[in-house]
Amino acid sequence: MPPRAPNVGLPGVSALLSTIGKGCYEVAVDAAQRGMSTIRSLKLNEEDKLVNKMYVEEKHRRTKNKHQGLPSTYMPDSGVDLETVRRTKYRRLLGTDIEASEISMGMSAAAGTYRNIDENTAIKAVQEAYRLGINYFDTAPLYGYDRSGEYLLGEALKGKPRNSFYVSTKVGRYLKSVPDTILGGERYVGFQDYSAEKTIESVEKSLELLGVDYLDIVFVHDIQFSESYKQARNTCLLTLVSLQEAGLINYIGVSSYDLTILSHLFKDETYLMSTGVGEPRHTEVLQTVGRYNMLDRLLTSTKSIPFRFLEHTRNQEVAIINAAPLNMGLFTPDGPPVWHSAPPEVRICCKKIADLCKERGVDIVRIALFFALKQQGIGTHLVGLATPEEVYNAVDVMHSSLTEEEANCLNISLGMIEELECVTWRERDAVITGTGNVSDKAVSATHYTDAQIHQTGYISGHGQLKFSWKGKHGHADTPG
């Protein structure tokens, strides 16, 4: 994107917050348009000249980078290691001008979703990722407790040139503290709010915490958890469109575990027509969660519903970000956290894979990342990295090839996974069924039972989720 005009504050957002009544989208759009007029009226001729100069300089810099085989985000004085950048592969997200590193950094792990992480360690992890050429960072208001992933990311990137990195966040899912009637004190609970008012408030807060004046991508977070898919689409998404028109967002995305919902969304060419906001358009970026990894390959399936998802999105120039290639901890030496919803058979299988790797001196994380990276057609793989050591490992994977022993472990692991039979994910009353081998099946989902809330101090607010598991010894429904 061309450089932004000097930030004049957020009059459009403030107007929206002051005029919205009960999430009324029509009022939100009207306020956004008035806010944009205010922004335009505040620009002076000198500022216009400055913006034009910045645009020319930025265009020249990007052209020079392209000729040198460097990503558009590389800047000589930014502190990024040039030699590492030259060794890193960058992929353009379809339909955008974002050139993201093959592996990008998700902030859920650094924010303590999986285990407690010291703040300095988390910030150092982000800074090392940035230094070593990882240029895309994803976060959300849901990630973290008293110190959010947005806050950590903002602190880590403070002072870095804004055009030297991409940052995305999300709206729709949040945390709040409530009294703990069992253990005393407070605990965090998750909740969903896809209203226009909350969406605008959330974007304003994200800009503040991240210390930026625009966001590269804002995703509707886990749209499947909206009480009404149409409400999220017609209210939350369209509110993001108004903020995009105001210059606060570059691209709009949707994240979900449910590929069926995403499939309906990006094929819908008419959802803007009734609002008068703009011409009908597709959502520009889709973030799929846990749908391409060693265990779950539904994203690339040619058999399951939705049929040929990756192929259709590619034809429509819709970018795909593959989140959770480690399946939220299943493919790590320590295994998944207590709240992970994988059935016992899946946990046992992944534990055997981890033990096999350990016996042979192989890192299970590396083979899981190698497996994900070989898939073509995916813009970037979003990995939760919490420590500098995890960052170094991920960067090394991007720059390495499988050793013979790693290749052997990967092949054996895939064979063990193929021995599993039918895994499906039941979300409320909807059942997404898989057929054939495990590559057509859904495994990763996050849910916290009441007992687990007090073990972890955290709840996702996902609602009632269950796995429907068909193993070799019959059927069993296992609570998430």
Side-chain angles (χ1 to χ4, degrees):
M1 296 292 290
R4 295 280 163 176
N7 190 13
V8 294
L10 304 173
V13 174
S14 299
L16 288 168
L17 289 172
S18 64
T19 58
I20 288 178
K22 297 182 179 180
C24 176
Y25 176 68
E26 290 77 9
V27 178
V29 173
D30 182 63
Q33 291 170 340
R34 292 201 305 273
M36 286 184 279
S37 297
T38 304
I39 291 173
R40 283 192 289 268
S41 68
L42 290 174
K43 291 180 180 178
L44 304 177
N45 290 335
E46 289 303 314
E47 289 178 334
D48 289 336
K49 292 178 182 179
L50 176 62
V51 169
N52 184 62
K53 180 181 178 182
M54 290 169 60
Y55 176 81
V56 172
E57 291 176 348
E58 177 68 4
K59 185 177 180 180
H60 174 73
R61 184 186 68 79
R62 293 191 177 205
T63 300
K64 183 178 179 181
N65 280 7
K66 184 176 181 180
H67 289 162
Q68 295 179 349
L70 299 171
S72 59
T73 52
Y74 176 73
M75 303 181 78
D77 300 325
S78 63
V80 176
D81 184 77
L82 176 60
E83 292 308 311
T84 306
V85 169
R86 290 191 184 281
R87 297 175 61 196
T88 301
K89 292 182 181 178
Y90 295 86
R91 300 172 178 173
R92 184 179 70 86
L93 302 189
L94 289 176
T96 78
D97 65 354
I98 293 175
E99 296 175 88
S101 47
E102 274 190 310
I103 289 178
S104 47
M105 182 171 180
M107 291 300 296
S108 61
T113 299
Y114 298 93
R115 66 187 191 276
N116 290 329
I117 299 294
D118 175 77
E119 180 174 326
N120 291 333
T121 299
I123 290 175
K124 181 67 173 177
V126 174
Q127 292 172 338
E128 285 298 276
Y130 175 87
R131 182 180 69 84
L132 295 175
I134 292 178
N135 66 349
Y136 173 47
F137 302 86
D138 176 78
T139 186
L142 185 69
Y143 303 156
Y145 319 120
D146 54 336
R147 52 178 180 80
S148 70
E150 291 181 320
Y151 162 77
L152 292 170
L153 186 55
E155 287 296 302
L157 296 178
K158 188 178 294 183
K160 305 297 184 185
R162 181 61 184 91
N163 290 343
S164 67
F165 61 88
Y166 305 110
V167 61
S168 64
T169 190
K170 305 179 182 74
V171 294
R173 303 197 63 213
Y174 309 96
L175 283 176
K176 62 181 178 181
S177 61
V178 298
D180 191 326
T181 57
I182 298 177
L183 300 179
E186 293 186 336
R187 63 182 174 91
Y188 287 90
V189 298
F191 69 99
Q192 295 85 39
D193 187 343
Y194 296 90
S195 69
E197 181 176 14
K198 184 62 177 178
T199 297
I200 296 162
E201 177 188 332
S202 180
V203 169
E204 184 177 41
K205 184 67 173 177
S206 295
L207 290 166
E208 177 186 342
L209 289 172
L210 290 165
V212 297
D213 58 2
Y214 70 94
L215 299 160
D216 293 288
I217 310 173
V218 175
F219 294 95
V220 179
H221 199 176
D222 290 340
I223 196 171
Q224 72 272 15
F225 293 119
S226 171
E227 290 184 4
S228 166
Y229 160 70
K230 289 186 177 180
Q231 179 212 26
R233 185 192 68 187
N234 295 335
T235 301
C236 186
L237 265 176
L238 295 181
T239 302
L240 292 179
V241 171
S242 70
L243 296 176
Q244 183 183 51
E245 296 292 341
L248 302 178
I249 301 170
N250 282 350
Y251 300 104
I252 297 169
V254 174
S255 78
S256 183
Y257 175 90
D258 188 339
L259 296 190
T260 303
I261 287 180
L262 291 182
S263 181
H264 288 317
L265 180 68
F266 84 81
K267 290 179 181 178
D268 184 354
E269 298 181 349
T270 61
Y271 70 89
L272 286 179
M273 294 184 67
S274 62
T275 68
V277 173
E279 294 299 319
R281 70 184 79 177
H282 296 301
T283 297
E284 295 148 303
V285 186
L286 300 178
Q287 186 180 118
T288 63
V289 184
R291 304 322 299 261
Y292 189 78
N293 51 73
M294 290 200 299
L295 186 64
D296 181 344
R297 285 159 262 168
L298 187 63
L299 181 61
T300 59
S301 173
T302 59
K303 300 178 182 178
S304 296
I305 299 172
F307 186 68
R308 300 186 183 278
F309 184 84
L310 192 60
E311 178 182 326
H312 287 322
T313 54
R314 183 167 58 246
N315 292 340
Q316 295 292 328
E317 284 280 302
V318 176
I320 295 293
I321 294 173
N322 177 43
L326 302 180
N327 210 308
M328 294 188 288
L330 278 174
F331 297 115
T332 60
D334 296 330
V338 65
W339 47 256
H340 200 292
S341 294
E345 289 88 342
V346 172
R347 287 176 177 267
I348 291 170
C349 178
C350 292
K351 178 65 165 60
K352 288 180 179 179
I353 291 173
D355 291 343
L356 168 73
C357 291
K358 184 176 180 180
E359 291 171 4
R360 299 192 173 205
V362 170
D363 183 355
I364 185 174
V365 170
R366 292 178 65 85
I367 66 170
L369 292 179
F370 275 124
F371 175 84
L373 288 179
K374 72 177 183 179
Q375 177 60 45
Q376 299 298 309
I378 294 173
T380 185
H381 299 272
L382 193 59
V383 184
L385 303 171
T387 68
E389 291 72 26
E390 291 176 0
V391 169
Y392 302 148
N393 193 32
V395 170
D396 187 65
V397 168
M398 288 194 288
H399 300 161
S400 306
S401 300
L402 281 169
T403 66
E404 183 177 354
E405 195 59 50
E406 286 172 337
N408 289 337
C409 281
L410 176 57
N411 289 331
I412 294 171
S413 299
L414 294 176
M416 294 167 67
I417 290 170
E418 293 297 331
E419 290 297 312
L420 298 173
E421 291 192 356
C422 180
V423 180
T424 61
W425 180 32
R426 177 176 297 168
E427 175 187 326
R428 297 191 177 98
D429 297 324
V431 180
I432 304 170
T433 58
T435 58
N437 61 35
V438 76
S439 63
D440 294 331
K441 301 171 185 113
V443 178
S444 60
T446 307
H447 175 57
Y448 303 78
T449 66
D450 289 341
Q452 290 167 343
I453 291 170
H454 296 290
Q455 293 176 11
T456 63
Y458 176 64
I459 182 172
S460 71
H462 273 212
Q464 295 299 315
L465 302 180
K466 286 187 177 181
F467 272 99
S468 178
W469 169 257
K470 177 186 176 185
K472 293 186 176 180
H473 303 292
H475 296 262
D477 280 342
T478 305

